[in-house]
Structures are given as structure tokens and as C-alpha cells.
Amino acid sequence: MPLLGGIRPPIAVLCVLILALAGLTAKVLGPSGEPVVPKAVLSSQKHFAEDGAIALRASIDERITDLRRTVAALNAGKPAEPEQVLSDLGRTYQKWTGTTILDLKSGDVLAARGERIPLAWLDKEVLTGKHALAPRMVRLETGDVRLMTMAVLDFEDRPQQLLIASNSLSVPAINLGPFRTMAVVAQDGEVLATAGFEQNEALNSDQERKELTFLQKQMSRMAEQAAEHTAEHPVSAKEPGSRGYPGVSGTLLGDDYNGRVATAGYASLASSDPEEKKSVAAGLGLTVVAMLPVVQQQGGVGPDRELFGLIAAGALVVLGLLAAAVLWMSVQRPLLRLFLESRRLARGDLTRPVSVPRWGEAARVGTALERLRGQLGGPGGTDGAPGGKVRLGLRVPLAVTAVLLLLWCVPVGLLLNRTDGSVSVPATMVNDQRDRTDLVADRVRRALNEAQADLVSTSRLIDVGDPDATAARLKDALREHTRYQALYVVDDTGEVVARAGGDPHDWSDGKDLPLIRVSGKGEKKPVIQAGAPVPEHKGTTLVGEVRVEFLNSLLKRPGLGEVRVVNADAETLAASGGFLAFEDLPNNALPDLVRAGNVPVGAGPVENGLLLRDGGVTVAAAAPFSGGGVASDIGWTVVSWQDAEHFQITPYEREDRSVLAGLLGLAAIVVCLGWVYLVVARPLRALAAGAEKLADGDLKTVHYPRYQDEVGAIVRSLELIRQQLQARRQNQARRAAEPRLGAGGR
């Protein structure tokens, strides 16, 4: 009879799993040397490139959007002279390297500001067709590449005019930190712009010049590789189901020089939400590459680590063999013996007594079979009540097996390779936390500056004397600028003249008050306001309330941990996760870090990074607002922190591997012993109860096998024995009744 289940498969599977886990343990806990560059450092470079790509994409899109919105507002208003248009544009948005207005019919230049814009690239295809007025990349005579953005000025009773604005494709003005370089790369791998390379004149020795030449060659080679990788579709370039950065990003490992290895991260420009919001910058095919030379890690492994994995694997094999031996001796062998004994009785072989196991359900079944052998007429058998029974069941050997395996799983998962506050964290991770925090701070500051600049642009189109027209203009602006939750015009008495969106909050006009301010203490959310004076109306201000959700979205960056925007008193104004308005920072050291960052040093406040060792290891950084614009002096700071245990460095990886090995062993225990309990132990307990009832004389209950295994075979044999006992009892009753019938007849 083929045995399709039973006790053999789970024991065999347990042995196989133990051997596989032992091999895995020997590999992952054994002689695995330090990598040349930790994975955490490579991932940090990828995240830095992603941040740079986001900053560049946002900068390009904002410039294009601002130009188009300004032209649309001008077309809806009164005609203006070209010189006046460029002057107002330059005062409001100081972001273009050059602007030009030309007559579309004659081609004459009507006005120009800043860098001279060449016009040889203008042709019919640029001005007409499906891609008319689409931004174009143009190379100047100097070899530099500029992005040309165009819009048509269509004033009433005037010929159409073409406004062209050029801006460079340079690396975003962000803090790269020491030794890091960044490049903007075209689709063909050409480096369009770089930042961070020292000038040859500033170097002090030939050795430094050689290293600079090496890094420049590495950047060129990695730029070509990054362009090839980013040419793939974002879906096919990622692992199935992975999310994160919407574009293509990754890491590159270059050559080493003087004990330092060139590492790089790359990221293509991609829309923040490709499914809902298209990005013009994302269609330019640009890639940002961030390169950082990292000190090469020592790859040696100590002698104690060489045998560590083998010892752990050997201990698992020994305990696993003991566990398998317990199951074989206490479960498998008695069960197979009962199977053979029950089949012998069912065939009618009653000559030998039943070999009864010593304990457990098997002993109960064996005792019942011996009683049934006596009831069937076997020599020397007994059909009386059973003697003393040992009630210890199969749960005892299963528990012993589980304890044997847990003796390995628990120490490996909870005790081996444990880390504490003394873990060495690469200095690169602290520096990257600081620099990326400063990048986020710059991004938030620029967003607030853009919000105030948009208000300045809109304020010039407002006619305070016509409240209805002003309200309509505010509704249109609110629909175009999703960063606002409310727009309203306030006069010199503080009264709201016109409004759009949510309920307005108080705005007081004072010379010492900043144009960007925050209020709302005691409310659910902070109220962040930006203001712009309305021209020719003294004391009248256009106020826009910036959505807190908009600022929160700017703070969410992978690999940076928890990020918050705080005021000068270290009270929370925005966060990447949930927060309470104006709540304090959770760690006592973070407010000190904020105050230290706001201390004027040299040209102004500087960002700071810190490694906290308080029960664990935490990397924290604070970057105060610095730079230009109205948001530079409002006293806000971006703070970030994250547990170092999230870093992919060797101590934490070893700890994770140990925990994984322990969990895999625990899973093997649950699967295999649960299998034995469900398939063997529970049916065997039911079989023992049924066999005892049958031995006690219950011949009416039919025994049905549940599984095609040893227990099922014993159940079938019991059913045959029950039928034999029924036939034997019927024959005995017939023989006892025959003489009485004969005597009564005579």
C-alpha cells in the first residue's frame, strides 16, 4: 500500500530544512568580509542624486510655469511695452540668464535683458506644429547649453510678440559637502554642467592635480553609464512591485585611487506624479550624477569570524539530528509497528501477542489491539479491561523536539551579533545626512520664495477698486497655484477686501514684520502666511496661506528618516509624518542642535550633523534657512534624524542575518511540528479512543480512515477487526440458539 502521508514526510522535510538552514547559516554568518564600500554609502549617493534631480526638475518646471503664467496674465491685462515687460519680469523672478522679446512678423528684437540669446535656432518647426513653443536646449557659441522657454505676447491691436527666456542647465545651487561632485548629463552621456570640482589653480601639488584628473575621468565614464541606464523605462528598470523614486535611479562603483573608491548615484529627471501631473523637465532626457570618493574599507576577516558560521551550522545539525531522532524513536517507529501489528490481526494471524509500545497514544492503541486479539480467540490473549495506562501523549515528544530546536533558534536570533551604542557608523553617513537635510531646507526655502514671488506677480494685476474682479482674479490664481489654501486682499485697517478659498486669518501690516510668518498656536494646524504689497495702494497687501500639506510633501525623502520644519523655538511647523502643531522635538539633543545651527558663524548660520549614542545610535542633522529671498531670515530650520540600525552596514547586517536565521528555524519548527500534530497526533488520539471503545465492546461504530497514511491503515484494520468480531459474535449466538430450538421440537 503506498503511503501518501503519515509521519515520514514531515520528519524528512524537517531534516532537509535543517540542513538547508545550516548551509545558509554557514554562508551568511561565516567568513563574509567587509565590502569595499558599505551598501548604506552607495544607497546614500543614490538618494543624493535623486534629491538633486528633484531640485533640478522643480527648478526647470517652475521657470517654465512662471513664464507662461506671467504671459497669460499680461495677455489678459492692458498692453505693455516690451521694455516694461522685461523689467517687471526681472524684478519679480530673478531666475533667467537672459530674456528677449522679438516681433514674430518681422523678426526684429524689441527688447533684451541679460545674456544675449542667439536666434539662429528659431525656425518654422519651433513656432508651428504639434510641438510648437516647446522648450528647447540650445548650445551657445561659448559651448554652454541653455534651455530656451517661449511664450507669445498677444496684446489687442498689436502684432504678436515672442518672449524668449533662457536659463542654464547648471547643477542646482545646493550644498554638495566636501569632496562631492555633481553633474547634469544629456541623453548621449555628454556632461552639460558640473559642480564641486576644484579649479587647477587652487590646487597645491601635482598629486592633487592628478587626483582631480582621475575624478574628472571617473565622472565622464560614470556619466556615460548613467545615461545608458536611465534610457530604460522606469518600470522595467526596477524590481517588480518596487516603488520609491518615480524615475530611474541607481548606483555606480568606479575605480580606486590613493585608497579612495569613486562611488556615484544617478537619477533621471522625473515628474513627482507621472500619472497625474506631467513635467516638461522630465521630457528633456536629463540625468543627475552625484559622485563621492569614499575611503576603501578593509576587507579582512578575523580568525574568530572564519569558524563562526561553521560552528553555528554544526550546532544546528547536531540539535536537528537529536530532534529527528526523538521523532523517529517516539513517533515513527511505534506507529509503523502498530501498523504492522494491526494488519497482521486483520489478516487473522493471532498466534503472537501484540507488541505494545511503552507509552502514549501508541501504547493505548497497542493495548486495545492486544485485547481485540484475545476477543478474536488468540492464544494467551485477554479480553478484559486494560491495565494501567500511561497517559503521556505525542505532545511530549513534539514539545521535546521544539525545545531542542529552540535551543538554537533563540540564542542565534536574540543573542548572537547583537549591536549596541558602540557601533561604528561611517562618517560619510553623517555628512550625507547633514548635506541632504540642507538640500531639503533649500528646497523648502525656495518653495516659500516662489510662493511670495507668485503673490508679487499676482498683486500687480489686482484692481482694488473692483472687488468682484479682484475676487475672480484670486479664484483663478488659487486654481493655478495648488500651494495655497486661501488668498485674500487686506487693506491698511486689516479688513479683508476680497478673498478666495478658506477662511482668512488676521494679517497686520508692520515694518518689522516679515512677509512670511506663522501663527495659529492652539489650533490643529499652523497657519503659514505669505504677503505681497499691492502696488499703488499703500497698506494694502495680498496674502496667501500656504498649505501645510504642501510643505509636508517637500519633506518626504527616502533614506532621510523623520524630517521636520521648526521655528526658532524648535516648535514643529511641518513634518514628513504625523505631528501636532507647535509640538516640541522628541529628543532633547535636537533643540540644542537647532540652536547651534542658528548661531551666526562667518557669513551666516550653517548646517550641522550629529551622531547620538543614547541607548542606540541616531544620526541627526539640522539645516537653518540660508541663501536669498524673503524666506532666508525667518528663523526656520529643517531637522532630520533616523536610527542607524536602518543603515546597510556590516554590524547591522550581521544582526539582521542572525535574526533571520532564528526566524527561519522557528518557521521550520512551526511548519514541521504543526504538520506532525495535525496529520499524525490528532488522528492518533482519535484512533486510540476508537480502539479502546472497540475493545470495550462497541461494535456498532464504523471506523473511517481520514488520511491515506499509517494511522489510516490502522483505522482500516480496526474496521476489519470490528467486522470479524461482529461475525464471531453472530456465530456464537447462532450456535447457542440451535440446541434450544432442537429440544423444543422434540
Side-chain angles (χ1 to χ4, degrees), residues 449-484:
N449 287 339
E450 285 289 334
Q452 201 273 337
D454 290 337
L455 293 176
V456 172
S457 178
T458 304
S459 66
R460 293 173 180 168
L461 305 175
I462 289 178
D463 185 5
V464 179
D466 189 352
D468 295 335
T470 300
R473 174 69 64 183
L474 295 181
K475 289 180 180 179
D476 294 339
L478 188 63
R479 184 172 56 254
E480 294 177 358
H481 301 279
T482 57
R483 59 168 61 99
Y484 302 113

Side-chain angles (χ1 to χ4, degrees), residues 583-630:
E583 71 173 339
D584 297 330
L585 293 173
N587 193 303
N588 294 330
L590 296 179
D592 296 335
L593 188 62
V594 172
R595 285 189 286 269
N598 283 278
V599 174
V601 178
V606 295
E607 68 281 358
N608 289 290
L610 192 64
L611 193 64
L612 305 176
R613 299 183 183 273
D614 185 11
V617 183
T618 303
V619 179
F625 282 12
S626 61
V630 297

Side-chain angles (χ1 to χ4, degrees), residues 158-179:
R158 287 191 185 184
Q160 287 185 330
Q161 301 169 356
L162 183 65
L163 173 59
I164 306 175
S166 70
N167 59 277
S168 63
L169 293 173
S170 59
V171 174
I174 58 178
N175 182 17
L176 299 178
F179 310 116

Side-chain angles (χ1 to χ4, degrees), residues 459 462-465 490-492 509 533-541:
S459 66
I462 289 178
D463 185 5
V464 179
V490 181
D491 60 15
D492 53 355
D509 188 15
V534 178
E536 301 179 358
H537 293 80
K538 186 177 180 181
T540 303
T541 307

Side-chain angles (χ1 to χ4, degrees), residues 422-463:
S422 63
V423 173
S424 176
V425 177
T428 303
M429 301 304 300
V430 182
N431 296 334
D432 288 352
Q433 185 82 12
R434 179 196 62 215
D435 297 337
R436 292 189 65 202
T437 303
D438 183 66
L439 194 152
V440 174
D442 182 80
R443 187 181 177 195
V444 176
R445 178 187 62 83
R446 289 176 181 271
L448 293 175
N449 287 339
E450 285 289 334
Q452 201 273 337
D454 290 337
L455 293 176
V456 172
S457 178
T458 304
S459 66
R460 293 173 180 168
L461 305 175
I462 289 178
D463 185 5

Side-chain angles (χ1 to χ4, degrees), residues 197-198 200 203 208-216:
F197 284 116
E198 297 179 5
N200 285 325
L203 300 179
E208 292 178 347
R209 295 187 182 93
K210 289 181 181 179
E211 185 172 359
L212 175 63
T213 303
F214 164 77
L215 294 177
Q216 289 174 337

Side-chain angles (χ1 to χ4, degrees), residues 113-338:
R113 289 286 189 278
E115 182 181 64
R116 188 180 71 86
I117 297 178
L119 302 176
W121 54 275
L122 276 174
D123 54 20
K124 185 177 181 181
E125 294 182 357
V126 176
L127 301 176
T128 60
K130 183 178 180 181
H131 301 287
L133 303 180
R136 303 292 179 95
M137 288 191 296
V138 177
R139 187 177 297 277
L140 304 181
E141 296 177 355
T142 59
D144 297 330
V145 177
R146 296 288 186 266
L147 179 66
M148 302 297 176
T149 307
M150 296 158 284
V152 175
L153 290 169
D154 192 6
F155 295 126
E156 187 178 356
D157 299 331
R158 287 191 185 184
Q160 287 185 330
Q161 301 169 356
L162 183 65
L163 173 59
I164 306 175
S166 70
N167 59 277
S168 63
L169 293 173
S170 59
V171 174
I174 58 178
N175 182 17
L176 299 178
F179 310 116
R180 180 180 279 107
T181 54
M182 186 174 283
V184 180
V185 183
Q187 285 180 318
D188 57 356
E190 179 187 3
V191 177
L192 302 179
T194 60
F197 284 116
E198 297 179 5
Q199 299 296 326
N200 285 325
E201 293 79 3
L203 300 179
N204 300 322
S205 64
D206 293 337
Q207 183 67 27
E208 292 178 347
R209 295 187 182 93
K210 289 181 181 179
E211 185 172 359
L212 175 63
T213 303
F214 164 77
L215 294 177
Q216 289 174 337
K217 291 181 179 179
Q218 288 293 302
M219 176 61 82
S220 299
R221 185 170 66 86
M222 290 182 176
E224 295 178 356
Q225 296 177 0
E228 293 178 2
H229 292 311
T230 54
E232 301 180 50
H233 192 277
V235 176
S236 60
K238 297 180 180 180
E239 297 180 358
S242 62
R243 298 182 62 85
Y245 186 69
V248 180
S249 61
T251 59
L252 297 170
L253 193 63
D255 300 329
D256 62 285
Y257 182 84
N258 237 4
R260 296 197 298 173
V261 182
T263 64
Y266 62 88
S268 63
L269 270 64
S271 174
S272 57
D273 193 351
E275 297 180 357
E276 297 182 3
K277 184 179 179 181
K278 300 298 181 182
S279 170
V280 177
L284 299 176
L286 300 178
T287 301
V288 172
V289 179
M291 185 181 70
L292 179 70
V294 178
V295 177
Q296 185 173 351
Q297 300 291 323
Q298 298 296 328
V301 180
D304 55 341
R305 177 61 57 181
E306 292 287 346
L307 298 178
F308 185 81
L310 294 177
I311 294 175
L316 176 60
V317 171
V318 171
L319 293 175
L321 291 178
L322 289 176
V326 169
L327 292 178
W328 179 76
M329 295 178 61
S330 61
V331 182
Q332 177 175 325
R333 190 169 67 172
L335 189 58
L336 292 178
R337 186 184 303 167
L338 288 178

